[in-house]
Amino acid sequence: KLNIGVDIIQHGVEGLVYLLTESSKLMASIPFHKEFGDTLKRCISEVDFQDSIHVLGFSDELNKSLLQLYLDNRKEIRSILGELAPRLPSYHSLEWRLDVQLASRSLRQQIKPAVTMKLHLNQNEDQTAQVLQTDPATLLHLIQQLEQALGEMKMNHCRRIVRNMK
C-alpha cells in the first residue's frame, strides 16, 4: 500500500522501538528531600525527549506524535524492561578455610598453601553454594583488582554512567 520497501519499514520500526526503550531506560535524579539529599527516580522529561528527537530532523507534527507516544507508553515500557532484566544472584555469606600441605611422601619439606571458599548466593528465593579454591598469590591479585575497580567506581565519570543505567 505504501510503496515502500520492507527493509525501510523494518528499520523504521526498529528505530522507533530503540528510541522508546532507551528513553524509558534513562533515569533522571530529582532531589525531593533537600535535608537528607534523597532523590526520586523518574523517566527523562518531556523537554529532554524533545531535545533528543529534535536532532533527527523530523517535522514538528511528527515530533509531537513521538512525544505523545512516549508519554503514553513509558510506564508500560519500563515495567516490561524490568521484567526482562536478568535476575542475578546476590551475596549471602562466605565460609573460608586455609589449607597448608607441609610435606608429602616424596617431598618432606614443602609448603603448599590453598584457600578454599564456599560462597553462598541467593537467587529467586533459592540458596546455592559455590566452592572455589585458589592459592594465596592469586587471591591477593584478585583482591587488588577488585579494590582498583571499586576505586574507579568512585570517580565522577563512572558515577554518571551508573546513574544513567538505573
Side-chain angles (χ1 to χ4, degrees):
K1 274 184 167 180
L2 299 174
N3 294 329
I4 298 175
V6 174
D7 290 341
I8 294 173
I9 293 174
Q10 181 181 352
H11 292 307
V13 170
E14 289 172 354
L16 184 60
V17 168
Y18 181 79
L19 174 70
L20 293 174
T21 55
E22 290 301 312
S23 298
S24 298
K25 271 196 250 182
L26 293 176
M27 299 295 283
S29 297
I30 306 165
F32 71 90
H33 199 286
K34 294 178 183 174
E35 220 175 50
F36 301 109
D38 294 334
T39 58
L40 174 65
K41 300 287 186 185
R42 64 171 174 81
C43 295
I44 63 172
S45 68
E46 294 177 31
V47 174
D48 292 336
F49 185 82
Q50 285 177 331
D51 289 344
S52 299
I53 61 173
H54 180 70
V55 298
L56 298 175
F58 295 139
S59 66
D60 289 339
E61 183 180 321
L62 183 57
N63 286 345
K64 288 177 185 176
S65 297
L66 287 173
L67 175 63
Q68 192 60 43
L69 182 68
Y70 168 69
L71 293 175
D72 292 344
N73 296 303
R74 65 181 171 187
K75 290 179 183 175
E76 184 178 354
I77 293 169
R78 282 200 58 78
S79 68
I80 292 170
L81 290 174
E83 292 172 10
L84 294 175
R87 304 286 186 238
L88 299 175
S90 61
Y91 172 82
H92 181 263
S93 64
L94 176 74
E95 299 174 39
W96 63 274
R97 180 179 74 215
L98 177 65
D99 295 322
V100 180
Q101 184 176 353
L102 298 174
S104 66
R105 289 182 188 176
S106 60
L107 293 172
R108 295 204 183 263
Q109 292 188 1
Q110 72 173 3
I111 298 177
K112 189 177 174 184
V115 178
T116 305
M117 298 170 281
K118 189 173 187 181
L119 182 62
H120 297 274
L121 303 171
N122 292 332
Q123 185 171 16
N124 299 334
E125 307 297 325
D126 296 329
Q127 278 197 352
T128 60
Q130 298 289 326
V131 178
L132 310 165
Q133 188 171 29
T134 186
D135 61 300
T138 304
L139 184 59
L140 286 174
H141 178 71
L142 180 63
I143 290 169
Q144 289 171 350
Q145 293 296 311
L146 289 172
E147 286 176 347
Q148 181 182 356
L150 283 173
E152 289 177 8
M153 284 301 296
K154 294 179 182 176
M155 297 173 67
N156 287 335
H157 178 69
C158 287
R159 279 196 232 152
R160 266 184 270 137
I161 291 172
V162 170
R163 184 174 48 236
N164 286 328
M165 285 176 29
K166 291 183 180 179

